[in-house]
Amino acid sequence: MNKKILIYIIIILAAIILILVACFGVGTKSSDSSKIEQYKDYSDLDNISIWLATDIHYIDPNLTDGGEYYQRMVESGDGKYMYGCEEITDEFISQVIEAHPSALILSGDITFNGARDSHIALANKLKAISDAGIPVIALPGNHDLTVGRAAKFSGDSYELVDSIDASEFLDIYSDYGFSNAVARDDTSLSYVTEVAPNLRILVVDVNTVPGMSGILTNATLDFVEEQLKQAKEDKAYVIGVTHQTLLEHSELTSQGMTFINNDKLLGLYEKYDVLMNLSGHMHIQHIKESNEGFVEIATGALMTAPNYHGEISLNGRKMTYKAVTTITDEKLAVAAEGFLWNNAYRQAMEIVSEHDKSAEMAGYFADFNVNYIAGRPDLIQWDSELNKQWKETDSFVPVYFQVVADEMEASKQQNFSEYTIKW
């Protein structure tokens, strides 16, 4: 091959690589041409910061004495560190006040089991945030409304207590999004609020149909489209918020994590070029893109290690997201992560207790699980021998490992704790 031609090809390839890195680097995405076209006449965003917490699962301390029944329930749960609930919640609120973001979003499962006393107690805590001049934007989750298992725990027993319905939620949290809404849906707790003149938060509630959760009604879809049309006319950017996920994030979380008519809502968001959707519910830190490139960020549960909250910064034509560990006390952080790890270890030991390498296999699973829940599959230390041992078991674990491996191979991003989008 001619030397000049070879040099020319190398230069072209280098240029292509640089372009690909710029467009598809880990955690970074340049918006598609439709967004660029729509937003060309929009004003730039001006140093807006939004914090988000989801799945707080707050319980009023008066509803539990930490007795045997409560302990058994917490220990058999999914790894939420409920023993630190009060301390973690208080620390988060203090951090919000100190940082003074432009707004705080609470994207559902605000309470542990929907007890009225827990809602009232948390709403009273949130008053310190609103008194500091920080708007709070609240949304109910599937654990918050008309919960038949709302209970007070004492010793080795429990007694059922009152939950709340949608109208009571609206009353208790009236100062946290609803009273300042620029538009509200008549058929659900969905609403729109402004963080800035050119930035609106569209809160979409799918949990107020009596006796059901996870249903987005046609009436609410009509409300959503009306608000998106209005935002486009007003040249205002829109960020969506749901509790359940809008997208199916993986095969591991395809059942029960999203909601009925999610595809219709996604279609509207893609049609009107919504910036992104924020959600929770999975208790896993994760980021997903639709086939058309629409981005959803699911923030991990505040009560599950590493006890994330989300911090979002919007400036100019750039948005950055970062999942930040809330707990600053080392002892508490170690306890929360240890609780999650031990929870997974116990599950694994129930499967492989008779195996010669049971402790190694269970420890490997626990390490794996902690990293995946933290949105850091890039930190998983894969062990081919232990993978092989797990494949010989009749359990969900080999499937779990394989799904994560496939996801990592297919994904451009393997650190789901941060993200940047530009347009």
Side-chain angles (χ1 to χ4, degrees):
M1 182 182 293
N2 184 288
K3 186 176 181 181
K4 287 185 178 181
I5 294 176
L6 178 60
I7 293 172
Y8 180 73
I9 291 172
I10 292 171
I11 291 171
I12 294 297
L13 288 173
I16 291 172
I17 291 169
L18 286 172
I19 291 169
L20 289 173
V21 169
C23 293
F24 301 108
V26 173
T28 304
K29 181 177 177 63
S30 296
S31 291
D32 57 42
S33 58
S34 66
K35 279 191 172 63
I36 294 172
E37 179 64 24
Q38 174 174 327
Y39 295 150
K40 66 181 181 180
D41 297 327
Y42 284 36
S43 300
D44 285 356
L45 295 163
D46 186 19
N47 289 317
I48 297 167
S49 63
I50 299 172
W51 280 33
L52 176 142
T54 187
D55 299 270
I56 301 174
H57 289 284
Y58 181 78
I59 185 169
D60 181 354
N62 293 321
L63 292 179
T64 176
D65 63 357
E68 293 178 27
Y69 190 94
Y70 184 71
Q71 289 179 34
R72 285 200 303 272
M73 185 174 57
V74 171
E75 298 286 339
S76 63
D78 61 0
K80 296 188 299 292
Y81 190 58
M82 296 304 301
Y83 300 132
C85 178
E86 192 73 9
E87 190 173 351
I88 294 168
T89 303
D90 287 345
E91 179 164 5
F92 174 68
I93 289 172
S94 295
Q95 289 181 22
V96 172
I97 294 170
E98 182 178 355
H100 209 282
S102 307
L104 167 66
I105 297 171
L106 302 178
S107 60
D109 278 3
I110 296 172
T111 60
F112 181 62
N113 58 15
R116 177 183 286 119
D117 288 352
S118 293
H119 280 293
I120 293 171
L122 183 61
N124 288 337
K125 287 180 180 290
L126 295 175
K127 189 174 185 301
I129 298 176
S130 60
D131 285 349
I134 304 165
V136 178
I137 302 167
L139 168 70
N142 57 297
H143 279 260
D144 291 324
L145 302 177
T146 320
V147 181
R149 62 184 180 279
K152 179 178 181 178
F153 306 96
S154 178
D156 197 23
S157 63
Y158 69 94
E159 60 178 297
L160 296 179
V161 298
D162 290 336
S163 183
I164 65 171
D165 60 17
S167 64
E168 291 173 290
F169 187 96
L170 182 59
D171 181 55
I172 293 170
Y173 296 98
S174 60
D175 292 334
Y176 307 129
F178 299 98
S179 61
N180 294 322
V182 298
R184 281 176 44 191
D185 180 25
D186 294 333
T187 64
S188 74
L189 292 176
S190 303
Y191 61 96
V192 178
T193 187
E194 285 187 339
V195 176
N198 61 339
L199 177 62
R200 296 175 187 174
I201 307 298
L202 173 56
V203 177
V204 180
D205 162 42
V206 300
N207 292 300
T208 55
V209 175
M212 297 288 289
S213 63
I215 297 178
L216 176 57
T217 65
N218 289 330
T220 298
L221 279 166
D222 290 341
F223 168 79
V224 167
E225 184 160 24
E226 180 183 346
Q227 297 311 310
L228 293 178
K229 287 178 180 177
Q230 187 63 55
K232 187 171 185 178
E233 182 179 323
D234 296 340
K235 294 183 170 58
Y237 299 102
V238 176
I239 293 174
V241 180
T242 54
H243 173 61
Q244 288 93 330
T245 62
L246 174 63
L247 303 176
E248 293 184 356
H249 281 239
S250 81
E251 293 179 36
L252 295 170
T253 57
S254 61
Q255 299 297 320
M257 290 298 121
T258 186
F259 49 88
I260 294 173
N261 285 331
N262 67 312
D263 56 333
K264 294 180 181 178
L265 183 61
L266 175 61
L268 289 176
Y269 282 3
E270 291 177 339
K271 177 181 178 180
Y272 290 97
D273 291 313
V274 171
L275 278 179
M276 60 180 167
N277 194 62
L278 302 170
S279 64
H281 188 55
M282 297 192 302
H283 297 192
I284 297 172
Q285 180 68 37
H286 205 271
I287 299 171
K288 180 71 173 180
E289 293 183 12
S290 72
N291 292 334
E292 299 298 321
F294 182 81
V295 179
E296 176 172 59
I297 300 175
T299 299
L302 187 67
M303 285 303 141
T304 302
N307 309 94
Y308 283 143
H309 65 266
E311 296 182 8
I312 301 160
S313 174
L314 301 107
N315 193 33
R317 294 175 182 269
K318 177 181 178 181
M319 184 283 294
T320 61
Y321 167 94
K322 188 173 184 180
V324 179
T325 298
T326 302
I327 301 173
T328 57
D329 180 80
E330 184 177 356
K331 184 177 180 181
L332 182 59
V334 169
E337 182 173 322
F339 184 81
L340 179 62
W341 192 93
N342 287 328
N343 179 276
Y345 184 86
R346 285 196 305 271
Q347 290 182 39
M349 284 298 289
E350 290 175 4
I351 300 169
V352 297
S353 59
E354 302 299 321
H355 199 284
D356 292 342
K357 294 186 177 181
S358 59
E360 292 177 69
M361 293 172 69
Y364 177 60
F365 171 75
D367 289 341
F368 187 103
N369 194 60
V370 166
N371 283 318
Y372 188 70
I373 285 175
R376 297 302 306 273
D378 56 315
L379 298 181
I380 293 172
Q381 300 294 312
W382 294 88
D383 187 311
S384 58
E385 180 58 31
L386 291 176
N387 278 348
K388 181 179 178 181
Q389 298 292 339
W390 270 110
K391 284 182 179 179
E392 296 174 358
T393 68
D394 182 19
S395 72
F396 73 94
V397 177
V399 176
Y400 181 16
F401 290 166
Q402 189 59 53
V403 168
V404 174
D406 292 344
E407 180 180 287
M408 291 177 68
E409 184 176 351
S411 177
K412 298 188 291 289
Q413 183 172 357
Q414 297 178 11
N415 173 3
F416 299 117
S417 68
E418 53 188 48
Y419 198 85
T420 298
I421 184 169
K422 301 177 183 178
W423 57 90

